[in-house]
Amino acid sequence: MFTTGSKLLLGSTVAALIGTLLYGILVGGIMGTVGLVSATAALGTFAAINIFTRDANVSVDDIDAFAGAAAGAERPGSSMWPLAIGLATATITLGLVTYTAIFMLGVILLIAGTAEWMLQAWAERASSDANHNREVRGRLAYTAEMPAAAAIGLGIVIYAFSRVMLGVPSKASTIVAFSVVAAVVLAVGAFVGSNRRISAPKLTGLFAVAGVVLVSGGAVAGLNGEREIEEHHTTAYYAQEGKCGTGEISADEHASQTVAGKASQAATVVLSDSGLTYTFPGLDQVRSGSIQLPRSSAVNILFRNETNEHRRLVADMAPEVEGSPAKICSQLVEEGGVQLLTLNYPVPSFDPSVEANGGYALSVPGVDGARLEVVVP
Amino acid sequence: MSHSHEDHERTMSTDVRTTRRLSSVRSSLTTAGLAVTAMIGLSACASNAPQDTWQPAGENAQKIHDLQWPVFTVAGIVGVIVLVFIGVIVFRFRDKGQAIPEQTHGKAWLEYLFIAIPAVILAAIAIPTVGVVLALAETDDTECIINVTGQQWWWEYDYEVEPDGSICGFAPSAGEASPIITSGQVVIPAGTNVLLRGTSRDVIHSYWIPRLNGKRDMVPGRVHYLRLQSDTPGIYAGQCTEFCGLSHANMRMETVVLAPADFQRWLDNELEPYKSPAEGTLAKEGEATYITQCARCHQVNGLVDDKGTDDTSDDTVVVSYPDQFVFSGAAPNLTNLMGRNTFAGASWDLLTPECREDVWEASPEEFGEKYLAGVTEDCLNDIDLREWLRNAPAKKPMYADAELLEPTDGKTRGMPYLALSEDQIDQLIAYLLERK
């Protein structure tokens, strides 16, 4: 007979009336009593109107309209997205006073949570059938959720795996990566392929356990830190240290196998028994003595060692000029090997600071007379 | 009945007016079409067309020219045949309400024919084309090497000193040769096979002097080769043909071909030691202004800062450091600015229009003398040069506001606004006029 709204208002009226009586008798304040009487009267009026209009509920008069109305729809299920948005807001606040990354994470969470909540609310209005609504939501949401979940999952797996690999010794990591993991993947694949009776829940459980183990291992390895990784210096480091001599350095490995050796060259500098000479690509004339190279322009020089010993080419640069190294050297090139140097001369060779250092030059340590003066106009 | 006759008459009159109106529109469209066609056709007949590929002035351009005639002839004939076929088919088989004709499919001999004809034509064109491409890539006959470097938005040239101490086969009349560095105009000796070794300091540019050879892209970090040769003294214009930024349209270049004797004079002049302006002159004041305002980017070879004193012990050689201020790392060398007659990427002439025409129109015999006269005070294009010095970015669009140039670490692309006073501009012009 009474609708929910009518019950609420009637109850409120009764409560207000009791409050009025109690206040009027026990406290006796005029203003308070008048206020409570007014509230009781107002609530009573609202209750009367509501009873008259039957809570504006059409279900009483029109069964068909009630069945199709939103109010008659199945109650939506609970949603976790408001909670996610709350968490996002807290993360954003935390990020504002700590790190930008946390702030950005909060923003992403906020956007994702808002979008999901809106999508859920939209889908729940699709019909009165909750299953159908879930299907509607899935059709739209899965196109974004599935790739995102896959990317996040894959990212976690890769990151965890990389922590493990960087945590164990390099030889062990190679064995793990190329033997153990490969063998496990092969074994699991073979087992699943040959055993058709294995159920989906079992498989899911297996992968879940594997995932937990991997992530746990990654977390442990990450907390332990990376193993000590050997540092590989380039020739630029050794040039700075003044070690571009005849001796072998760690940067000399695979001298002739650099990709840059195939790049476009301004000149090919050749060390032979007759000294240091050069040719321009496309021109046969062999030149020596001095080579002219442009200023403020990256030029590639190909060094070819045609002697019977390992040799490197060293370029004297402009140490007094900011940003210019004192020397640039190639790797130690084997007999018949080639190596590319990229040079960039910032000032002309007549710059007093360059002249004071003996000028620009290309030379080969350990070979007397193997020198080319570099003229930069 | 009478009423109906009037209606008929009115309808007839309306039809006639509509027909006349349509006829008038058709006539106007036809006239406009003919006018546009004539305009395009006549523009091809321009006498002042310095970048005309149909007027080759060197053996390399001649090879291209000799190739493009038969290729365009064949292409033209094929084009006309195809257009005529289309026209005939469109007219003859236009929709007149007729039934759709019987559809046929799979005439093998016709398909083979339509494959064979283009294949034969393309093969016939490919043979001479490949021959010309290979001929233009030849470098064995090189007699002169000039390095060319593109940057936003001008070209720099430096002349290779050969192992025998010559430049382009010409030994200096006095002293030893040193690398010559110039910009805007490249000067080459007539009848000499010149090889340009090109690269770029910033973005991809493309070098093209249409009357002397085809195009060649200049890519940063790579070296590209382009042959230049001409027997006829004169100036040959070109333009960067790879979009390279804001002032791409203002990145021009000119090749100056001089008779051997004139080239020798040009070479000797370029190798002349620096001459400081006479004391007490406006040009001397300009030298000081140049050192304070211009020399940080623009090199003048041999320029010495005497600090305004007679004491030579504290004199210092002035070396520019454009790599610290300009994104490309270079600015035009102004050692002999008035020896060439363009500036700002060959976009403006240093000569007045009359003097410029006098040089450009000179006969091959007289050309060298007129070109080597350089820019005199009477012939100086004072207007453009002043405007340039007053506010270069206003004259040539450049990214010259360092505050807006975070990606370039505050370095400008092109010449910035220097806020020079009119007095300073007077001094600089007087100084630069002596740079030849």
Side-chain angles (χ1 to χ4, degrees), chain A residues 43-366:
Chain A
L43 283 167
T45 308
F46 286 137
I49 294 169
N50 209 50
I51 290 165
F52 181 75
T53 61
R54 294 182 184 179
D55 207 6
N57 195 339
V58 292
S59 62
V60 180
D61 300 323
D62 188 348
I63 301 299
D64 292 338
F66 172 73
E74 191 176 333
R75 275 179 63 190
S78 57
S79 175
M80 68 168 182
W81 298 116
L83 188 67
I85 290 173
L87 182 65
T89 311
T91 310
I92 288 172
T93 311
L94 187 67
L96 283 172
V97 294
T98 54
Y99 301 105
T100 312
I102 294 176
F103 174 78
M104 293 307 295
L105 184 69
V107 169
I108 292 168
L109 195 59
L110 181 66
I111 293 170
T114 309
E116 288 284 1
W117 196 9
M118 288 168 67
L119 190 65
Q120 190 182 35
W122 168 78
E124 283 170 349
R125 281 177 172 75
S127 73
S128 58
D129 183 355
N131 289 330
H132 173 72
N133 294 349
R134 270 194 291 277
E135 195 182 323
V136 167
R137 180 199 168 280
R139 255 186 237 167
L140 191 68
Y142 288 165
T143 54
E145 284 176 356
M146 291 297 180
I152 292 168
L154 209 59
I156 290 171
V157 167
I158 291 170
Y159 188 74
F161 189 66
S162 71
R163 294 308 95 189
V164 173
M165 291 293 100
L166 287 168
V168 297
S170 60
K171 283 187 180 171
S173 69
T174 309
I175 292 167
V176 169
F178 294 104
S179 304
V180 178
V181 173
V184 168
V185 169
L186 186 67
V188 171
F191 174 72
V192 173
S194 62
N195 191 351
R196 296 189 177 198
R197 283 179 298 174
I198 191 165
S199 64
K202 279 181 186 169
L203 262 184
T204 310
L206 183 67
F207 283 115
V209 170
V212 168
V213 169
L214 181 62
V215 172
S216 307
V220 171
L223 289 171
N224 281 341
E226 297 176 3
R227 67 173 180 271
E228 194 178 334
I229 294 172
E230 191 184 346
E231 197 172 356
H232 292 275
H233 293 298
T234 63
T235 51
Y237 168 81
Y238 289 106
Q240 199 176 355
E241 296 289 306
K243 292 178 181 171
C244 284
T246 53
E248 190 168 358
I249 53 179
S250 66
D252 289 334
E253 208 174 345
H254 307 308
S256 291
Q257 295 177 20
T258 50
V259 176
K262 279 75 180 174
S264 176
Q265 302 116 31
T268 302
V269 176
V270 180
L271 175 69
S272 62
D273 294 336
S274 57
L276 210 53
T277 57
Y278 68 97
T279 55
F280 290 130
L283 300 170
D284 295 334
Q285 189 181 21
V286 178
R287 298 155 188 258
S288 59
S290 67
I291 180 170
Q292 190 172 320
L293 295 173
R295 175 187 178 177
S296 298
S297 184
V299 289
N300 297 324
I301 299 293
L302 192 72
F303 172 56
R304 184 184 299 281
N305 178 16
E306 291 184 355
T307 64
N308 294 324
E309 291 184 63
H310 286 40
R311 295 292 179 195
R312 75 172 82 249
L313 186 70
V314 178
D316 293 332
M317 304 299 285
E320 306 298 326
V321 177
E322 189 184 339
S324 175
K327 288 182 188 297
I328 290 177
C329 65
S330 73
Q331 290 170 286
L332 202 58
V333 178
E334 76 278 14
E335 301 89 333
V338 293
Q339 170 78 175
L340 191 115
L341 279 186
T342 300
L343 309 171
N344 195 334
Y345 296 97
V347 292
S349 41
F350 56 78
D351 186 287
S353 69
V354 175
E355 288 183 336
N357 281 292
Y360 295 130
L362 297 172
S363 59
V364 178

Side-chain angles (χ1 to χ4, degrees), chain B residues 173-197:
Chain B
S173 300
E176 286 185 6
S178 58
I180 295 170
I181 187 160
T182 181
S183 63
Q185 287 183 325
V186 59
V187 179
I188 63 172
T192 302
N193 293 324
V194 176
L195 187 68
L196 293 185
R197 299 172 72 240

